[in-house]
C-alpha cells in the first residue's frame, strides 16, 4: 500500500474512533465471487465490488437488465453487486475504507462526494480516458456536485430536482390557462386567490432544499463560482434583496403556512385546493399516480430576476482509492454512464444525467417528466464542499430567523456569510 493510501486510512481511522462506529450489512449479490485483491492485466479475469442503495424495483432492473449487458460486453470483469441499507451507510463506508474493505465502486449520495474526497478516500477521475466526453454530455449542475478543490471525484449517475406543481382548478380560477412563466405572474395570480384558506405559493419550509430555488431565482447566491467565499455573495445586495422578497411575500399572506411548518402540509394543501403552487420532485407523481396528474400540472419554476433555478439531487458514482482494479472499475463506471444503462434505469423513474438519454423519446413519454428534464438544465448544486452539513445549518438558521421576524435580512446574512467563510476554509 502506498503512502497516500496509508495517510488516507489513518485519517479515516481517526474519524471512525470519533464517531464510535460499528456495523456490518446485509448483502444482495449478483455475483458471489470473492474480491480479487491482486493487480491484474486488462486481459485477465478480475472481480470488483459495487455498493448501491437502489430500491427493490431499481435493484431488480439493475440486476436483471443492466448487469447482463455489462457482463456480455466485459466477460472478464465480474461485478459483485451489494445492496446496502441507507441508514448508517456513511459510517459503514468510512469503516470500509479504514479497514481496506471498501468496495471498488459505489453509488453515493451526491452530498457526500466532497467530504470523502477531502478524506483522500476517492480517486480523481479527470485523467481517465473518456472522462471529458462524459463530462461534456451530462447536466452541468449534476456534474458540479463531484467537485472538490477544482478536481472531479465522481460522475453523476442519476439526478432529480424540484419543479413547480400547480393546482389545475386554482389556475383556472385565477384566469390562467397555463402555469405562470414568471414570478410576477404567479404573484399576481396569488393576490387574486388570496383568502384565509387559499395561498398562492407553498414553500415547504425554511431549509436550503426548500428555499434555494426561490432564493436563487430572485437573484441570491451562497458563494462565488469556485465555492471558496461567502462574504460578498451570500450577503450581497442581490442576495439581501432576494431573501427580502420572500419575507415580503410571506408578510403579504401570499406564501402558505408550510414555510414555518404550518398545516395543511404541501401535498394535503395541494389536493384540497388550498395552494395554487407547491414544489416537489418526481416522487410526487410516482406516489400519487393518476390522482396527481388529474388535479395538478407540473412546470419549471417561474422566472425571477435571475432566471428559473432549482436544486440538484441524486446520486453519483465514485471509485475508491483502495481499489486494486482501476481499469476494470473505470470501465464499469463508464458503462453505468452509457445511454443504454441510463435508459434501463429510467424505467424505474430515475432521471438520467446523460442529456441524450434524458431527452430521448423513451424517457419523455413519461407524462410528468418533461418539466423535470428541462429544470435539470439550470438546477444548481448545494455548495459541493466537505463542510456542507455545517454550511447548511448556518444557512437554514439565517433563513428561519428572518422569516420568523427575529432578525433583519441584512444582519442574518452578514452573520451567516462570516460563519460560512470559516467553514469554506
Amino acid at each position: 500500500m502506498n503512502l497516500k493510501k496509508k495517510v488516507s486510512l489513518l485519517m479515516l481511522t481517526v474519524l471512525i474512533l470519533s464517531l464510535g462506529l460499528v456495523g456490518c450489512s446485509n448483502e444482495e449479490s449478483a455475483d458471489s465471487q470473492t474480491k480479487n485483491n491482486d493487480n491484474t492485466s486488462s486481459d485477465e479475469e478480475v472481480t470488483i465490488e459495487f455498493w448501491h442503495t437502489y430500491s427493490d424495483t431499481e435493484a431488480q432492473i439493475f440486476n436483471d437488465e443492466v448487469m447482463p449487458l455489462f457482463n456480455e460486453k466485459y466477460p472478464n470483469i465480474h461485478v459483485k453487486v451489494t445492496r446496502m441499507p441507507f441508514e448508517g451507510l456513511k459510517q459503514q463506508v468510512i469503516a470500509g475504507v479504514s479497514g481496506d474493505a471498501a468496495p471498488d465502486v459505489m453509488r453515493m449520495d451526491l452530498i457526500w462526494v466532497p467530504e470523502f474526497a477531502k478524506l483522500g478516500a476517492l480517486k480523481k477521475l479527470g485523467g481517465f480516458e473518456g472522462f471529458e466526453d462524459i463530462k461534456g454530455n451530462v447536466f452541468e449542475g449534476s456534474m458540479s456536485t463531484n467537485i472538490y478543490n477544482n478536481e472531479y471525484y465522481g460522475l453523476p449517475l442519476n439526478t432529480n430536482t424540484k419543479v413547480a406543481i400547480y393546482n389545475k382548478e386554482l389556475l383556472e380560477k385565477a384566469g390562467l390557462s397555463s402555469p405562470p412563466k414568471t414570478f410576477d405572474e404567479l404573484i399576481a395570480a396569488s393576490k387574486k386567490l388570496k383568502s384565509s384558506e387559499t395561498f398562492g405559493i407553498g414553500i415547504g419550509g425554511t431549509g436550503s432544499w426548500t428555499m434555494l430555488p426561490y432564493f436563487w431565482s430572485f437573484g441570491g447566491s451562497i458563494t462565488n463560482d469556485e465555492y471558496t467565499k461567502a462574504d460578498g455573495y451570500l450577503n450581497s445586495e442581490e442576495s439581501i434583496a432576494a431573501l427580502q422578497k420572500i419575507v415580503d411575500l410571506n408578510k403579504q399572506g401570499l406564501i402558505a403556512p408550510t414555510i414555518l411548518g404550518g398545516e395543511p402540509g404541501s401535498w394535503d394543501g395541494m389536493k384540497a385546493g388550498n395552494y395554487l403552487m407547491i414544489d416537489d420532485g418526481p416522487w410526487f407523481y410516482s406516489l400519487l399516480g393518476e390522482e396527481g396528474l388529474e388535479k395538478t400540472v407540473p412546470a419549471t419554476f417561474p422566472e425571477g430576476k435571475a432566471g428559473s433555478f432549482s436544486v440538484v439531487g441524486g446520486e453519483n458514482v465514485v471509485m475508491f482509492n483502495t481499489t486494486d482494479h482501476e481499469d476494470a472499475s473505470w470501465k464499469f463506471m463508464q458503462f453505468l454512464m452509457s445511454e443504454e444503462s441510463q435508459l434501463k434505469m429510467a424505467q424505474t423513474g430515475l432521471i438520467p444525467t446523460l442529456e441524450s438519454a434524458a431527452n430521448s423519446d423513451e424517457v419523455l413519454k413519461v407524462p410528468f417528466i418533461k418539466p423535470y428534464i428541462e429544470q435539470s438544465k439550470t438546477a444548481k448544486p448545494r455548495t459541493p464542499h466537505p463542510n456542507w452539513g455545517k454550511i447548511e445549518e448556518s444557512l437554514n438558521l439565517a433563513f428561519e430567523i428572518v422569516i420568523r421576524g427575529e432578525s433583519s435580512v441584512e444582519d442574518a446574512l452578514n452573520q451567516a456569510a462570516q460563519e460560512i467563510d470559516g467553514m469554506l476554509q
Side-chain angles (χ1 to χ4, degrees), residues 138-172:
V138 297
F139 293 122
E140 182 180 353
S142 296
M143 190 68 207
S144 65
T145 63
N146 293 283
I147 294 174
Y148 172 65
N149 275 355
N150 297 316
E151 300 277 1
Y152 289 93
Y153 289 85
L155 300 172
L157 186 56
N158 55 268
T159 190
N160 62 62
T161 190
K162 301 193 299 175
V163 301
I165 298 172
Y166 294 91
N167 181 288
K168 288 181 179 179
E169 186 176 333
L170 289 182
L171 274 176
E172 294 176 4

Side-chain angles (χ1 to χ4, degrees), residues 50-78:
F50 173 58
W51 284 6
H52 70 78
T53 56
Y54 285 130
S55 68
D56 290 344
T57 301
E58 292 163 354
Q60 183 176 353
I61 294 292
F62 184 80
N63 289 330
D64 295 348
E65 299 190 32
V66 175
M67 285 309 303
L69 293 175
F70 179 79
N71 293 335
E72 182 180 353
K73 188 171 184 179
Y74 297 104
N76 64 317
I77 302 175
H78 305 282

Side-chain angles (χ1 to χ4, degrees), residues 164-168 171-172 175-183 185-186 189 276-277 285 296-303 371:
I165 298 172
Y166 294 91
N167 181 288
K168 288 181 179 179
L171 274 176
E172 294 176 4
L176 297 174
S177 59
S178 61
K181 300 293 185 184
T182 68
F183 266 104
E185 293 174 5
L186 174 59
L276 168 61
M277 173 262 208
Y285 290 100
T296 71
V297 55
T300 55
F301 272 94
E303 289 191 6

Side-chain angles (χ1 to χ4, degrees), residues 99 125 142 214-215 276 284 295 354:
L125 301 181
S142 296
Y214 303 90
F215 182 66
L276 168 61
F284 177 87
K295 293 185 177 181
L354 196 65

Side-chain angles (χ1 to χ4, degrees), residues 2-115:
N2 62 33
L3 179 60
K4 183 177 181 181
K5 287 184 180 179
K6 289 181 179 179
V7 172
S8 299
L9 297 182
L10 178 60
M11 293 171 65
L12 287 161
T13 301
V14 172
L15 182 55
I16 289 170
L17 293 174
S18 69
L19 293 173
L21 301 175
V22 296
C24 57
S25 67
N26 295 323
E27 294 187 354
E28 177 182 297
S29 298
D31 190 310
S32 60
Q33 298 187 52
T34 58
K35 184 174 178 180
N36 183 346
N37 290 318
D38 297 325
N39 287 306
T40 55
S41 72
S42 59
D43 294 329
E44 295 178 314
E45 292 195 2
V46 300
T47 297
I48 62 173
E49 186 169 10
F50 173 58
W51 284 6
H52 70 78
T53 56
Y54 285 130
S55 68
D56 290 344
T57 301
E58 292 163 354
Q60 183 176 353
I61 294 292
F62 184 80
N63 289 330
D64 295 348
E65 299 190 32
V66 175
M67 285 309 303
L69 293 175
F70 179 79
N71 293 335
E72 182 180 353
K73 188 171 184 179
Y74 297 104
N76 64 317
I77 302 175
H78 305 282
V79 182
K80 180 183 179 184
V81 180
T82 304
R83 184 180 176 190
M84 302 293 289
F86 188 79
E87 184 177 354
L89 179 57
K90 181 186 283 189
Q91 289 79 9
Q92 289 188 338
V93 176
I94 293 170
V97 176
S98 177
D100 202 14
D104 301 273
V105 179
M106 179 179 174
R107 176 180 181 257
M108 174 181 288
D109 190 308
L110 58 82
I111 284 298
W112 296 356
V113 174
E115 184 175 351

